[in-house]
């Protein structure tokens, strides 16, 4: 679902594996220099099951509203 987009957005990273099932996607990446790795999970309604995700969502929405105020 998002593998090609991730590769385009992160040119210094190599996509190692992808698991795309139903409405969720998980990706493993490695920096092209080989020194770092990362896992990205795209999960719908993730904030319902994880407080840290819910807090990050809340902060992102608040910051978005602040930035929209600067346009008005």
């Amino acid at each position: 679902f998002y593998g090609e987009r991730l590769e385009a957005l992160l040119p210094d990273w190599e996509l190692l594996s992808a698991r795309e099932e139903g409405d969720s996607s998980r990706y493993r990446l490695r920096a092209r220099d080989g020194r770092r790795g990362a896992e990205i999970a795209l999960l719908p309604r993730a904030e319902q099951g994880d407080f840290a995700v819910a807090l990050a969502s809340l902060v992102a929405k608040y910051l978005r509203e602040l930035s929209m105020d600067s346009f008005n």
Side-chain angles (χ1 to χ4, degrees):
F1 304 135
Y2 300 100
E4 289 180 17
R5 292 180 193 164
L6 286 173
E7 288 179 316
L9 288 171
L10 304 168
D12 294 335
W13 292 78
E14 175 184 7
L15 181 63
L16 298 177
S17 66
R19 184 174 38 178
E20 301 168 326
E21 302 170 338
D23 56 358
S24 67
S25 303
R26 295 177 183 275
Y27 303 93
R28 257 184 354 112
L29 300 112
R30 179 179 59 210
R32 295 205 186 272
D33 64 11
R35 295 188 298 182
R36 296 170 290 160
E39 292 186 20
I40 297 174
L42 303 167
L43 308 167
R45 297 168 300 284
E47 66 273 3
Q48 294 175 1
D50 189 312
F51 177 74
V53 173
L55 183 60
S57 177
L58 180 70
V59 169
K61 290 173 185 172
Y62 177 70
L63 293 174
R64 180 189 64 210
E65 289 301 316
L66 288 178
S67 68
M68 293 305 292
D69 284 344
S70 68
F71 290 115
N72 295 329

